[in-house]
């Protein structure tokens, strides 16, 4: 029970790695606010968490909308009385588009979800963390945080940017009992990677895709007190993919 009585908000919590993280946090004793745009999926996950005897609620939000993020924060405080962990996992991919292929509106949309979303959520939660003198932020980067290739021009840019944001958060708030770290997953079996599995596996030393639950276990570590001296770190979980690149 590494997260006993902690309250966690999971943005991007209604599928894939975020869903696995919501389940893992709850299994470690956290009270979980599952946030996403899809109510039906949110309700399904909340039901599964409750069936395991833990506490959870769903709070709908598009992470590009500050007003919707505020309703999630308000609900967390209203229902559970505090916030201890912020997990920024919402993200979209760009289908490997080059700068020539990428249209401006697509670029703006991807940046709004992958970069501005974590900023808006963090900005909304930080006053609570600062007041209580503690808090944990877990951002979700990618292989595309380290190298070109796992995405196109917008995705790779966004995941590099998120690492910079994470470092700056650590720099600015590490002295206030707040830690921020980034997970850099490799090729993980989720709705985002459906249909592109085979061609990638040959480049991965582990010769398999990762499972959302494996990344979720890392997210538990980064949310727990076991990682209290980690500030602004990027932790890669990629079956060794990046070492050969
Ligand atoms: P996924 O598509 O299942 O998860 C992405 C989630 O973000 C979905 O629940 C989606 O609804 C949500 N989302 C998208 N736009 C949103 C918005 N505007 N507001 C709120 N929620 C929104 O895929 P996943 O693989 O679980 O991705 C989770 C995170 O992991 C993403 O940030 C992704 O970039 C990152 N990632 C995934 C892989 C992989 O191989 N699957 C690798 C590296 C990084």
């Amino acid at each position: 029970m590494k997260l006993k009585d902690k309250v966690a908000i999971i943005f991007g919590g209604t599928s894939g790695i975020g869903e696995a993280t919501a389940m893992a946090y709850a299994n470690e004793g956290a009270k979980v606010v599952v946030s996403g745009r899809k109510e039906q999926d949110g309700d399904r996950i909340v039901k599964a968490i409750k069936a395991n005897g833990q506490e959870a609620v769903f709070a709908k939000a598009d992470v590009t909308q500050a007003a919707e993020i505020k309703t999630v924060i308000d609900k967390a405080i209203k229902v559970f009385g505090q916030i201890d962990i912020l997990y920024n996992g919402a993200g979209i991919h760009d289908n490997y588009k080059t700068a020539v292929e990428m249209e401006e509106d697509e670029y703006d949309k991807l940046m709004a979800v992958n970069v501005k979303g974590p900023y808006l959520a963090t900005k909304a939660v930080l006053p609570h963390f600062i007041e209580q003198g503690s808090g944990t932020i877990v951002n979700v980067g990618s292989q595309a945080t380290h190298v070109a290739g796992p995405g196109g021009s917008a995705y790779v840019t966004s995941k590099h940017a998120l690492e910079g944001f994470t470092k700056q958060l650590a720099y600015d708030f590490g002295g206030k009992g707040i830690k921020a770290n980034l997970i850099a997953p490799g090729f993980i079996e989720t709705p985002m990677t459906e249909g592109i599995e085979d061609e990638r596996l040959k480049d991965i030393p582990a010769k398999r895709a990762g499972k959302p639950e494996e990344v979720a276990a890392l997210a538990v570590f980064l949310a727990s007190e076991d990682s209290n001296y980690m500030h602004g770190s990027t932790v890669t979980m990629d079956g060794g993919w990046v070492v050969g690149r």
Side-chain angles (χ1 to χ4, degrees):
M1 284 289 186
K2 296 220 175 252
L3 305 177
K4 192 162 169 36
D5 297 330
K6 301 288 184 193
V7 177
I9 299 180
I10 317 275
F11 285 104
T14 54
S15 66
I17 299 169
E19 174 176 352
T21 299
M23 298 300 297
Y25 281 5
N27 283 338
E28 291 293 340
K31 298 165 188 170
V32 178
V33 179
V34 181
S35 184
R37 290 164 307 166
K38 296 166 192 154
E39 203 150 357
Q40 219 177 345
D41 286 326
D43 289 344
R44 170 179 58 77
I45 295 159
V46 164
K47 213 169 147 192
I49 290 173
K50 286 184 172 167
N52 282 347
Q54 285 114 11
E55 292 181 60
V57 291
F58 174 69
K60 190 172 175 173
D62 177 333
V63 296
T64 67
Q65 304 301 315
E68 293 184 26
I69 285 176
K70 186 177 180 307
T71 65
V72 178
I73 310 302
D74 290 350
K75 188 163 185 178
I77 296 291
K78 190 172 169 215
V79 178
F80 296 129
Q82 67 196 62
I83 304 164
D84 303 288
I85 301 159
L86 168 65
Y87 175 93
N88 283 316
I92 54 175
H93 202 266
D94 61 5
N95 292 319
Y96 307 98
K97 286 186 180 165
T98 67
V100 172
E101 295 158 347
M102 173 68 58
E103 295 300 336
E104 187 180 347
D105 59 342
E106 290 178 278
Y107 181 90
D108 285 346
K109 186 180 174 204
L110 188 142
M111 288 297 171
V113 177
N114 292 11
V115 183
K116 190 176 172 190
Y119 150 73
L120 289 175
T122 303
K123 185 175 169 62
V125 167
L126 272 172
H128 296 281
F129 284 0
I130 291 167
E131 197 187 332
Q132 71 193 9
S134 65
T136 293
I137 299 162
V138 180
N139 289 330
V140 183
S142 164
Q143 271 287 294
T145 294
H146 299 302
V147 292
S153 57
Y155 188 77
V156 171
T157 303
S158 75
K159 293 301 188 180
H160 275 67
L162 199 52
E163 183 178 49
F165 180 57
T166 307
K167 286 180 181 173
Q168 191 64 39
L169 287 172
Y171 184 85
D172 289 336
F173 299 104
K176 297 188 187 323
I178 298 163
K179 63 178 175 181
N181 293 292
L182 184 86
I183 298 176
F187 186 82
I188 311 298
E189 277 169 8
T190 70
M192 187 178 279
T193 52
E194 250 170 39
I196 52 170
E197 193 166 331
D198 288 340
E199 90 189 57
R200 295 269 157 192
L201 291 182
K202 65 175 180 0
D203 299 328
I204 299 173
K207 300 296 173 208
R208 68 170 178 88
K211 295 186 187 322
E213 293 73 20
E214 293 177 296
V215 184
L218 177 56
V220 167
F221 170 71
L222 289 178
S224 77
E225 291 181 2
D226 290 343
S227 60
N228 269 3
Y229 199 53
M230 290 179 71
H231 290 259
S233 298
T234 295
V235 188
T236 302
M237 183 181 274
D238 68 348
W241 196 11
V242 82
V243 297
R245 297 172 70 94

